[in-house]
């Protein structure tokens, strides 16, 4: 039975409230759009309401923002990009002050630059490093730019109380703090207020509205419903402005590579329920390799990671059954190279075997590849410069940005020679490679400033031959200082983020 609350009169009165709020001031609106049902219903309501105003009263800009993490589910990413293009055309044709914007994270903050470049381990519940970089920062940066220009902004979200008890509780708390009718303060973004026009709608009411009311920018709401069919979850990924928002890993409207959840049930369902989606199998298999689970169902990639932290220090677990065991840090060079190779292979496979709209699919951008190469060569001192070789071996094409980096006199041949000289000692080998590279890059009087300090830091990270010796020596040092003495802190790779094995 169709919901009886969403009558013509109900929608007309709600649209009138939208218009009244719009005309109340000159504070611009920023509407979050993910392409899912809730954000589509919200934007559709705003669009149709403002369209009823005389052209002379449509003075206040309405910015539509959609955050592309660059690891979005490919089908959804294509859907959202097409929707934004249609919005731009329709807004111009109808004379509406609606301005769609596709937001992306800064290249240094992207998923692959952090995981493959820096070696950050796959995200998990207590090390969810991806959310802030990929979602919060791009949207907040846009909103704050609007605030800087206009002094204030009203953020319009499609969040609903019916989504979860936690969401309902949060929205009720915000409602109690409302300074104006329908507007709640946004603690995460000073200078902005939050408006949630469909906050009391049920799931059925959202779909009823979308099926009964024609989409104004020309996308098919029936096709949207088809995208949801067969999914294990009917959730979507809302505009994320703080870390309290739950992961979207079980949703069609989340990241295809999400490892915060134990399994990507949505992608599994899409492949199982629709044979035409079989081309996505390599994505699912890659995601599962990235997030191996131990016998307790916990993500366990311990052996793939360096036993030293990002800053080269040793940090021991402070609690749990593995107390006293080093908290492993970034992925090793071998695993970073393996992830790059496999990712490029999956990209190539989908380009060859996927549907027509996926023939130009890029799972990793040229800008990301260039930044990863820079990190490997300049920050990690890997002068064998493996990325161009891996790229050509997988794609069959030469890497086209060789001039980005001056690699110096050392290369793959010297790298292999150094491996032979150090006789399989990985710590000693890394120390020698790093010191050679640092010294070479410091040629000249200006370049040698701080050279001794940098070399001293490298030596401090290699006063042991392996993990066992490092742990034994660290325990001796702690005993001399007192058992309660704190370990060294890695600000980029915090101690409390990495205790996934309990």
């Amino acid at each position: 039975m169709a919901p009886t609350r969403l009558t013509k009169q109900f929608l007309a009165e709600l649209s009138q409230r939208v218009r009244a709020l719009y005309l109340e001031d000159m504070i611009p609106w920023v509407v979050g759009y993910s392409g899912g049902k809730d954000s589509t219903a919200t934007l559709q309501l705003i669009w149709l309401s403002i369209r009823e105003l005389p052209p002379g009263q449509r003075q206040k800009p309405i910015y539509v923002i959609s955050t592309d993490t660059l690891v979005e589910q490919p089908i959804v990413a294509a859907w959202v990009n097409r929707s934004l293009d249609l919005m731009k055309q329709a807004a111009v044709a109808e004379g509406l002050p609606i301005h769609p914007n596709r937001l992306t994270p800064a290249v240094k903050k992207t998923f692959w630059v952090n995981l493959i470049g820096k070696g950050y381990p796959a995200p998990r519940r207590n090390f969810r490093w991806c959310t802030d970089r990929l979602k919060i920062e791009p949207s907040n940066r846009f909103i704050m730019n609007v605030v800087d220009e206009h002094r204030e902004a009203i953020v319009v979200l499609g969040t609903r109380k019916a989504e979860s008890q936690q969401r309902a509780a949060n929205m009720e708390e915000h409602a109690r703090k409302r300074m104006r009718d329908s507007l709640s303060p946004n603690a995460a973004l000073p200078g902005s207020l939050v408006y949630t026009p469909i906050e009391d709608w049920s799931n059925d009411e959202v779909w009823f509205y979308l099926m009964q009311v024609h989409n104004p920018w020309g996308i098919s709401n029936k096709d949207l419903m088809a995208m949801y069919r067969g999914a294990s979850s009917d959730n979507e990924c809302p505009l994320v402005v703080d870390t309290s928002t739950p992961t979207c890993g079980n949703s069609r409207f989340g990241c295809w590579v999400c490892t915060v959840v134990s399994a990507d049930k949505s992608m599994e369902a899409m492949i199982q329920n629709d044979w035409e989606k079989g081309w996505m199998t390599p994505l699912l298999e890659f995601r599962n390799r990235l997030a191996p689970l131990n016998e307790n169902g916990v993500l366990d990639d311990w052996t793939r990671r360096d036993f030293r932290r990002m800053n080269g220090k040793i940090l021991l677990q402070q609690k749990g059954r593995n107390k006293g065991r080093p908290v492993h840090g970034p992925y090793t060079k071998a695993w970073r190279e393996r992830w790059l190779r496999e990712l490029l292979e999956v990209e190539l496979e989908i380009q060859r075997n996927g549907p027509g709209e996926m023939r130009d699919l890029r799972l990793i951008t040229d800008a990301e590849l260039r930044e990863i190469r820079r990190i490997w060569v300049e920050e990690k001192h890997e002068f064998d410069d493996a990325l161009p070789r891996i790229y050509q071996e997988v794609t069959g094409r030469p890497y086209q940005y060789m001039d980005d980096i001056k690699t110096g006199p050392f290369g793959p041949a010297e790298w292999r020679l150094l491996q032979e000289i150090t006789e399989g000692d990985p710590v000693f080998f890394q120390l020698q490679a790093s010191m050679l590279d640092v010294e070479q890059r410091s040629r000249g009087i200006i370049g040698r400033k701080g050279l001794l300090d940098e070399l001293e830091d490298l030596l401090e990270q290699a006063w042991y031959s392996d993990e066992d010796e490092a742990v034994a020596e660290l325990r001796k040092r702690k005993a001399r200082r007192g058992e309660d003495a704190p370990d060294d802190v890695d600000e980029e790779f915090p101690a409390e983020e990495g205790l996934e094995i309990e």
Side-chain angles (χ1 to χ4, degrees):
M1 180 180 294
T4 57
R5 191 171 66 132
L6 296 192
T7 61
K8 288 185 178 180
Q9 181 179 351
F10 175 90
L11 292 175
E13 291 174 353
L14 179 56
S15 295
Q16 181 56 40
R17 289 199 297 272
V18 171
R19 286 190 290 272
L21 186 64
Y22 176 83
L23 295 173
E24 202 169 274
D25 51 50
M26 287 304 295
I27 303 174
W29 287 9
V30 180
V31 184
Y33 175 75
S34 70
K37 67 183 191 311
D38 296 336
S39 63
T40 299
T42 300
L43 179 57
Q44 187 168 298
L45 175 65
I46 299 299
W47 188 298
L48 294 173
S49 300
I50 303 306
R51 189 166 68 179
E52 294 300 314
L53 289 173
Q57 293 184 341
R58 306 170 188 168
Q59 299 298 314
K60 189 164 65 175
I62 299 175
Y63 302 104
V64 178
I65 61 173
S66 181
T67 303
D68 184 349
T69 62
L70 301 181
V71 283
E72 297 295 311
Q73 213 270 25
I75 293 177
V76 175
W79 170 272
V80 171
N81 289 336
R82 179 168 173 263
S83 298
L84 294 175
D85 288 340
L86 291 173
M87 284 179 207
K88 291 178 183 178
Q89 299 171 21
V92 171
E94 296 183 21
L96 294 174
I98 295 177
H99 310 283
N101 296 268
R102 174 179 172 267
L103 310 181
T104 58
V107 67
K108 294 180 182 294
K109 303 285 187 176
T110 68
F111 186 86
W112 299 122
V113 165
N114 280 278
L115 188 138
I116 296 177
K118 293 184 176 181
Y120 272 39
R124 57 214 72 199
R125 283 178 297 174
N126 55 356
F127 190 19
R128 193 175 154 190
W129 54 262
C130 51
T131 303
D132 186 73
R133 291 171 173 81
L134 306 187
K135 295 186 176 184
I136 296 177
E137 286 189 10
S139 58
N140 284 7
R141 184 170 60 247
F142 185 95
I143 295 170
M144 292 313 297
N145 286 339
V146 173
V147 171
D148 288 343
E149 181 178 353
H150 300 275
R151 301 183 64 182
E152 291 180 283
I154 293 175
V155 182
V156 185
L157 302 178
T159 49
R160 296 181 297 110
K161 296 174 184 177
E163 292 177 272
S164 68
Q165 292 183 344
Q166 181 63 44
R167 177 62 56 83
N170 289 339
M171 295 180 73
E172 291 290 352
E173 177 64 24
H174 290 152
R176 285 193 289 270
K177 299 177 182 178
R178 281 178 178 166
M179 304 164 60
R180 292 169 51 188
D181 184 37
S182 302
L183 299 179
S184 302
N186 187 350
L189 291 171
S192 66
L193 298 169
V194 176
Y195 176 38
T196 51
I198 66 168
E199 61 181 22
D200 293 318
W201 289 22
S202 68
N203 193 63
D204 288 342
E205 287 172 334
V206 172
W207 282 121
F208 177 79
Y209 175 72
L210 291 175
M211 292 302 101
Q212 296 299 315
V213 180
H214 181 71
N215 183 287
W217 56 89
I219 205 77
S220 171
N221 288 338
K222 291 184 179 180
D223 288 346
L224 176 63
M225 175 176 275
M227 289 177 63
Y228 275 88
R229 286 201 186 104
S232 56
S233 171
D234 198 28
N235 297 323
E236 67 175 90
C237 213
L239 177 69
V240 181
V241 294
D242 59 54
T243 54
S244 66
T245 306
T247 177
C248 304
N250 278 331
S251 165
R252 288 172 184 251
F253 293 85
C255 302
W256 70 266
V257 77
C258 183
T259 55
V260 177
V261 294
S262 59
D264 189 337
K265 297 179 181 179
S266 176
M267 190 181 297
E268 290 174 357
M270 292 179 75
I271 295 171
Q272 181 178 352
N273 297 334
D274 188 346
W275 66 270
E276 292 184 350
K277 301 296 191 301
W279 59 268
M280 290 195 300
T281 300
L283 292 173
L284 181 62
E285 292 175 344
F286 179 88
R287 180 261 169 214
N288 291 341
R289 289 194 299 272
L290 195 63
L293 304 180
N294 62 19
E295 65 276 8
N296 298 318
V298 177
L299 197 162
D300 186 359
D301 53 6
W302 207 260
T303 59
R304 301 173 175 180
R305 295 156 56 185
D306 196 314
F307 64 91
R308 295 165 294 184
R309 306 295 285 167
M310 190 70 81
N311 60 3
K313 307 296 184 181
I314 305 296
L315 180 68
L316 302 182
Q317 285 216 89
Q318 303 298 310
K319 59 183 179 179
R321 65 180 182 180
N322 293 309
K323 181 179 179 180
R325 179 181 180 180
V327 179
H328 285 202
Y331 288 127
T332 63
K333 173 179 168 64
W335 277 100
R336 286 184 279 109
E337 292 180 0
R338 175 171 174 172
W339 294 139
L340 174 63
R341 181 180 295 277
E342 291 190 8
L343 181 64
L344 290 172
E345 289 172 346
V346 170
E347 179 183 272
L348 190 62
E349 184 173 355
I350 293 177
Q351 288 174 348
R352 290 173 175 171
N353 303 322
E357 64 269 23
M358 295 297 159
R359 298 301 165 84
D360 295 324
L361 175 71
R362 294 297 305 273
L363 297 179
I364 183 169
T365 66
D366 286 343
E368 290 175 292
L369 289 170
R370 296 168 78 172
E371 178 62 12
I372 289 170
R373 182 184 178 219
R374 187 197 66 78
I375 291 171
W376 285 5
V377 173
E378 295 183 357
E379 296 184 12
K380 294 186 177 292
H381 309 296
E382 294 167 358
F383 55 76
D384 61 324
D385 196 14
L387 188 144
R389 171 179 54 81
I390 294 172
Y391 181 86
Q392 183 161 3
E393 288 174 355
V394 175
T395 67
R397 302 187 300 271
Y399 183 72
Q400 58 182 323
Y401 301 105
M402 292 300 297
D403 293 338
D404 279 359
I405 297 173
K406 295 181 180 179
T407 55
F410 302 135
E414 289 76 17
W415 188 267
R416 290 191 294 269
L417 178 61
L418 190 59
Q419 287 178 318
E420 295 177 9
I421 294 173
T422 54
E423 299 179 341
D425 185 331
V427 175
F428 186 53
F429 167 75
Q430 186 175 342
L431 172 65
Q432 298 304 315
S434 297
M435 293 182 72
L436 279 172
D437 189 59
V438 168
E439 197 283 332
Q440 176 61 36
R441 291 179 181 279
S442 301
R443 292 293 179 92
I445 297 176
I446 297 178
R448 300 187 78 83
K449 183 179 179 181
L451 172 61
L452 293 180
D453 290 338
E454 192 168 359
L455 294 176
E456 185 177 347
D457 287 341
L458 292 173
L459 288 169
E460 179 63 23
Q461 298 172 22
W463 40 261
Y464 35 72
S465 59
D466 56 28
E467 182 173 348
D468 292 338
E469 184 179 337
V471 171
E473 179 60 29
L474 184 58
R475 286 174 175 166
K476 290 179 182 178
R477 293 186 179 188
K478 287 176 69 68
R480 289 195 295 267
R481 293 182 299 171
E483 283 298 326
D484 295 330
D487 289 330
D488 291 312
V489 175
D490 184 344
E491 293 183 357
E492 186 175 19
F493 226 63
E496 61 271 22
E497 297 174 340
L499 305 180
E500 67 280 0
I501 298 182
E502 299 177 353

